[in-house]
Amino acid sequence: MTFSLSVILQAIASGLMIGGVFALISIGLTLIWGVMKIINFAHGEFLMIGLYLTYFLVTQFGMDPYLTILITTPALFFIGIGIFQVSIKPILKHPQMNQIMLTLGISLILQNLALVLFKADVLSVRTRYTGINYTVGGVVVTLTELIAFFGSIIATLALYYILKTTDIGRWIRAAAQNPTAAILQGVDVRFTYLLAFGMGSACLGIAASLLLPFYYTSPTVGLFLGLIAFVVVVLGGMGNFLGAFVGGLIIGLTESLGAAIMPGSLSRVLTFGIFVLFLLFRPQGILSKRQS
Amino acid sequence: MLNVENLSVQYSAFKALHGVSIKVEQGQIVSIVGANGAGKSTLINTVSGLLRPTEGSITFEGVELTTMSAHEIVRHGVVQVPEGRKLFPDMTVQENLLVGGSHKRARAGRGEALTQVYDLFPKLMEREKQSARTLSGGEQQMLAIGRAMMSQPKILMMDEPSLGLAPIVVQSIFAVVQELRNRGLTVLLVEQNIRHSLQISDYAYVLETGAVALEGTGASVLADDHTKAAYIGSPTGSEAH
């Protein structure tokens, strides 16, 4: 097989675009892990909720897909804190296996609920942004991908800014680094967990609105995207914000290059091969130092 | 000001404190001294609300603390400098201080408090942008004290502030404790450095196996034969003045 340079360049461009969205999705997951050491296996299903919500806002109410961010973001924030309050908060101090079972259970419930409500159909939207492309040096980039990429970057920077410069951000980081010490500064750590869970989920609202115009939704869409987020988070170092961002771009590129150079469904081998290699040889992730 | 009455605390089968009563008056330095495992840290962690008593009451300015959550106790002005500093290692010096001053009552005076802390510990200002983990042991202790100062304490409870520090740094930490008292702060000091802490204390309690074995002014406890024999271990005539 031979690969033309233009195919590779095209794959790199598309990979980077989707990688930006992967980064945003993964940052939500890594934030939740970093603060309360919970791996939310329902993360992908939260994204699915966001995708369906976007779908209905666009198709039923004729909303501009990007305007739906104003609804999906707070919606996912509140869905996140609702689920946290009811199911996760009571088992925060329980063994990790119980927490894994719980979030896996939530993910299955949400998947099957979607199956009942929306059937197994794969749904996508056509908007006025669909079909607009830009060609630069033989590489075609769609407008929807470009918007998703830059939208994800902006959302990531905004979240980074909140974490870095606001009291809420400092509470979240303090609670992540030493919860007891945070309590001793008067920080309500339980409330901070709630906020962090809400913010991690809200990332998915933004991601869903940015993703749907060139992607699809189905009851199982979260299965793949959630798994990708998990791979990215491991790659970037569990709980590492910057690592999740870089990891998102890397996995986006890997997915896209894999699809371009490997036949059919073999492309996934590349992504999960990288995942396994990291687990074996660099479990602390690309950017993190090994925990001392 | 702080009134601990008949306090008992139990860890599963082990009774760490039984029937401890102590009093701290406004503007005093009060020491809790005793050997490792005597229950000193248990006592202040219970005042802080990190542990719950099985019996007894803790009131601060007449308000019961034992039913309050730990972060609310801090907001009421009962603030702890924990053993082993417990800084936020990956946050900068300034960020650590800002977290200390971020609860509602402290936030209004935060800028002023920051100036005061930097005034008290100029080293911290020099290292403002460094992450806390890069500080020396003494600087970390200063940051821990500064962070607690940021939350506008009415009473500062210090758990082993001299632990693991070089003798010269220990001197400066005790000097800081006295300086804080001179500025009107009330201090409850838990120490293994018994002689030094008794010297600066207005009042002191000796804890032994979870109960108060002896109490009195710092000087009288220091002069007590039992204290000398059990903790200071120096033959008569050789103690410092």
Side-chain angles (χ1 to χ4, degrees):
Chain A
M1 265 197 284
T2 55
F3 311 108
S4 66
L5 183 65
S6 71
V7 170
I8 300 292
L9 284 177
Q10 179 66 54
I12 289 176
S14 311
L16 271 181
M17 298 292 135
I18 189 80
V21 185
F22 288 171
L24 178 59
I25 297 169
S26 311
I27 279 164
L29 187 61
T30 215
L31 175 69
I32 291 168
W33 164 265
V35 175
M36 62 203 91
K37 305 291 177 277
I38 294 250
I39 302 167
N40 181 17
F41 283 103
H43 200 67
E45 279 62 42
F46 286 15
L47 179 63
M48 171 201 72
I49 296 175
L51 287 166
Y52 274 108
L53 187 58
T54 310
Y55 177 82
F56 283 107
L57 289 170
V58 171
T59 56
Q60 303 297 310
F61 300 96
M63 272 184 87
D64 184 291
Y66 300 113
L67 217 54
T68 63
I69 288 179
L70 297 177
I71 295 175
T72 54
T73 310
L76 264 291
F77 179 86
F78 287 112
I79 289 170
I81 65 174
I83 290 180
F84 177 85
Q85 278 294 49
V86 171
S87 64
I88 294 171
K89 190 169 139 183
I91 66 155
L92 271 177
K93 295 223 154 101
H94 288 214
Q96 201 147 43
M97 186 52 82
N98 299 14
Q99 300 170 345
I100 290 172
M101 287 300 155
L102 177 85
T103 59
L104 264 178
I106 295 172
S107 116
L108 289 173
I109 291 171
L110 291 174
Q111 261 176 52
N112 287 290
L113 211 59
L115 199 57
V116 171
L117 290 174
F118 314 122
K119 310 288 177 274
D121 302 333
V122 171
L123 305 172
S124 58
V125 291
R126 275 199 69 83
T127 66
R128 57 199 174 94
Y129 305 97
T130 313
I132 302 175
N133 307 318
Y134 303 98
T135 311
V136 184
V139 174
V140 182
V141 185
T142 68
L143 176 61
T144 49
E145 284 176 306
L146 262 182
I147 294 175
F149 178 72
F150 285 107
S152 297
I153 302 277
I154 291 168
T156 302
L157 289 175
L159 187 59
Y160 184 77
Y161 179 82
I162 291 173
L163 288 174
K164 200 72 191 166
T165 64
T166 66
D167 271 328
I168 289 171
R170 280 188 289 265
W171 292 340
I172 289 175
R173 284 186 294 145
Q177 291 177 28
N178 193 330
T180 308
I183 291 171
L184 289 176
Q185 311 315 313
V187 176
D188 185 346
V189 167
R190 286 293 170 105
F191 176 69
T192 306
Y193 284 175
L194 184 72
L195 276 181
F197 203 89
M199 285 164 70
S201 306
C203 289
L204 300 172
I206 304 173
S209 296
L210 292 172
L211 200 54
L212 191 68
F214 67 100
Y215 213 72
Y216 64 94
T217 185
S218 76
T220 52
V221 68
L223 217 54
F224 168 64
L225 290 172
L227 201 54
I228 285 286
F230 188 63
V231 171
V232 168
V233 166
V234 169
L235 195 71
M238 307 280 288
N240 188 319
F241 190 96
L242 196 62
F245 181 73
V246 175
L249 296 181
I250 290 176
I251 292 299
L253 282 173
T254 312
E255 278 281 306
S256 174
L257 284 170
I261 62 175
M262 316 239 319
S265 53
L266 255 184
S267 66
R268 288 282 135 81
V269 169
L270 212 56
T271 302
F272 294 105
I274 286 184
F275 176 59
V276 170
L277 287 178
F278 261 85
L279 280 181
L280 285 175
F281 299 111
R282 209 177 156 77
Q284 75 273 33
I286 16 178
L287 295 181
S288 310
K289 293 184 193 76
R290 210 176 261 277
Q291 292 293 311
S292 52
Chain B
M1 189 182 207
L2 179 72
N3 221 332
V4 175
E5 261 172 71
N6 195 29
L7 195 72
S8 295
V9 180
Q10 195 153 357
Y11 299 104
S12 54
F14 170 66
K15 204 162 190 188
L17 289 182
H18 21 127
V20 170
S21 299
I22 69 163
K23 239 191 184 117
V24 182
E25 301 296 347
Q26 170 99 44
Q28 284 186 332
I29 297 179
V30 173
S31 277
I32 313 282
V33 298
N36 230 338
K40 304 181 305 269
S41 295
T42 302
L43 176 58
I44 69 168
N45 282 331
T46 310
V47 175
S48 278
L50 295 176
L51 298 170
R52 293 295 170 197
T54 46
E55 257 182 279
S57 84
I58 303 166
T59 54
F60 178 72
E61 293 179 331
V63 182
E64 181 66 41
L65 298 186
T66 50
T67 52
M68 225 181 254
S69 58
H71 64 267
E72 286 169 354
I73 291 174
V74 175
R75 296 172 186 183
H76 267 78
V78 180
V79 180
Q80 184 188 143
V81 181
E83 183 179 350
R85 349 282 186 227
K86 294 197 172 62
L87 299 172
F88 306 117
D90 295 322
M91 294 171 81
T92 66
V93 166
Q94 194 186 43
E95 285 173 338
N96 268 273
L97 294 172
L98 290 176
V99 172
S102 60
H103 68 80
K104 214 180 201 167
R105 190 173 56 84
R107 222 174 303 156
R110 183 149 66 171
E112 207 177 306
L114 197 63
T115 317
Q116 275 180 19
V117 169
Y118 284 153
D119 177 49
L120 192 61
F121 303 116
K123 263 267 155 45
L124 292 184
M125 181 137 83
E126 284 171 35
R127 310 216 183 284
E128 200 177 38
K129 301 283 176 222
Q130 275 176 240
S131 71
R133 69 162 72 249
T134 65
L135 301 183
S136 72
E139 289 163 355
Q140 290 194 5
Q141 188 59 55
M142 290 171 194
L143 180 54
I145 297 171
R147 185 180 61 174
M149 297 296 300
M150 293 294 295
S151 51
Q152 309 282 358
K154 295 175 188 165
I155 180 168
L156 198 61
M157 304 189 292
M158 305 172 93
D159 195 354
E160 306 278 8
S162 76
L163 197 69
L165 298 180
I168 181 129
V169 186
V170 172
Q171 294 285 346
S172 69
I173 294 293
F174 278 105
V176 165
V177 173
Q178 282 177 292
E179 170 63 22
L180 292 178
R181 192 262 308 269
N182 294 343
R183 294 183 180 195
L185 196 63
T186 309
V187 179
L188 180 62
L189 184 62
V190 160
E191 260 298 340
Q192 281 191 49
N193 191 332
I194 289 169
R195 183 203 302 266
H196 217 140
S197 54
L198 290 179
Q199 280 169 352
I200 64 166
S201 295
D202 299 298
Y203 204 80
Y205 296 86
V206 180
L207 272 191
E208 273 174 17
T209 58
V212 174
L214 181 72
E215 63 177 278
T217 61
S220 74
V221 172
L222 192 59
D224 183 85
D225 287 339
H226 173 73
T227 318
K228 273 190 217 158
Y231 303 108
I232 300 179
S234 58
T236 33
S238 74
E239 72 240 51
H241 292 281

